[in-house]
Amino acid sequence: MAIDPSAHIHPSAVIEEGAEIGPDCRIGPFSVIGPRVRLAAGVEVKSHAIVTGLTEIGEGTQIFPFANIGDVPQDLKYAGEETRLVVGARNRIREGVTMNTGTRGGGGVTRVGDDCLFMTGAHVGHDAQVGNGVILANNAALAGHCIIGDQVIIGGLSGIHQFVRIGKGAIIGAVTMVTNDVIPHGLVQGPRGVLDGLNLVGLKRRGVDRAEISALRAAYQALAQDDDTFMERARRLAEETDSPHVREVVEFILAESDRSFLTPGR
């Protein structure tokens, strides 16, 4: 066991032999830290939270009561193999959040970036790859193998199907089931998710230039035409565009994927 002397650990917390607790960490009452857990500097684990498994938690991350971080995957194929969970810096992991380690078949690592917010009851499934600045609202759930780009927002009570990719800056409305890939900066809503435009509010908040927003809107309209296939429209856009944001969208579309795309409405 390696516990930095500057760490503050409540007497009722259980720190199992082998855990590594970094400088200025705070471990609250009745929390449990497993034997293969590494907490970086300034991590706070509040009361009644569990951090277990082969898990790394990045600097300054806060874990709130009754969260269960690093437990085994909810996958019947999992046979006890050693897999990991890696969580980045400055995340806020609220009450009742669950994050599972990976599986051998999915690459063995579930990974979460920096500066994310996981609201009450959110779930990150095995082998998911979550970018930076992502927000999962209350009870939103990522199934196994999902890939979530930077600055994505997923509304409350929404579910993301396994293997789905959601591109950078997209927003998913509340109570939405997403079964197909979502383009960067897309807006998806409805009980069975429909691509219903662009996340214009998010683009403006991030200071994206007006000309780039106009280019994205024109690209969206081009993708919504029905003169040929969706992939052919994307390839044509890739040849024609000078916009870095539009290129980001078409490169995402043309990349290899296990799921088909939600296509734009007009």
Side-chain angles (χ1 to χ4, degrees), residues 4-250:
D4 190 276
S6 65
H8 301 272
I9 300 174
H10 193 276
S12 67
V14 176
I15 313 296
E16 297 191 48
E17 188 68 35
E20 298 182 26
I21 311 298
D24 299 314
C25 287
R26 303 184 69 88
I27 312 298
F30 307 107
S31 54
V32 177
I33 307 299
R36 299 187 297 166
V37 170
R38 295 175 57 192
L39 304 183
V43 169
E44 182 177 11
V45 180
K46 295 179 180 286
S47 67
H48 298 87
I50 296 173
V51 187
T52 188
L54 186 54
T55 296
E56 301 175 26
I57 305 294
E59 183 174 347
T61 287
Q62 292 179 295
I63 300 174
F64 283 72
F66 304 105
N68 188 326
I69 307 302
D71 224 323
V72 298
Q74 298 180 97
D75 185 335
L76 293 175
K77 299 185 294 300
Y78 178 71
E81 63 267 26
E82 185 172 273
T83 57
R84 298 191 297 143
L85 169 67
V86 178
V87 176
R90 300 174 302 279
N91 292 288
R92 285 173 288 169
I93 300 172
R94 295 303 303 247
E95 296 83 355
V97 168
T98 53
M99 296 183 179
N100 296 155
T101 58
T103 63
R104 180 183 292 125
V109 182
T110 304
R111 194 177 301 275
V112 172
D114 302 332
D115 302 302
C116 299
L117 170 59
F118 300 89
M119 296 187 192
T120 300
H123 174 68
V124 177
H126 60 85
D127 305 295
Q129 307 294 307
V130 180
N132 301 318
V134 170
I135 298 174
L136 266 65
N138 296 344
N139 297 296
L142 304 180
H145 313 281
C146 291
I147 300 176
I148 310 299
D150 295 345
Q151 285 115 31
V152 167
I153 299 174
I154 299 176
L157 297 168
S158 293
I160 313 302
H161 194 282
Q162 63 184 356
F163 294 103
V164 161
R165 300 179 304 144
I166 299 182
K168 176 181 176 180
I171 186 167
I172 311 300
V175 198
T176 297
M177 180 63 199
V178 181
T179 58
N180 298 94
D181 290 349
V182 178
I183 61 172
H185 314 293
L187 165 64
V188 173
Q189 56 189 348
R192 302 296 289 189
V194 175
L195 185 58
D196 197 27
L198 296 169
N199 183 14
L200 297 174
V201 172
L203 289 163
K204 291 172 183 175
R205 284 176 176 170
R206 289 192 292 275
V208 175
D209 183 83
R210 182 177 296 180
E212 281 294 300
I213 293 176
S214 296
L216 277 169
R217 296 177 82 164
Y220 183 89
Q221 291 300 318
L223 288 169
Q225 302 304 314
D226 57 6
D227 52 339
D228 48 18
T229 71
F230 181 68
M231 298 302 286
E232 287 170 344
R233 283 171 254 157
R235 292 188 187 98
R236 187 165 62 246
L237 270 174
E239 295 171 356
E240 295 173 351
T241 187
D242 295 321
S243 162
H245 283 79
V246 174
R247 186 161 296 282
E248 178 182 43
V249 171
V250 295

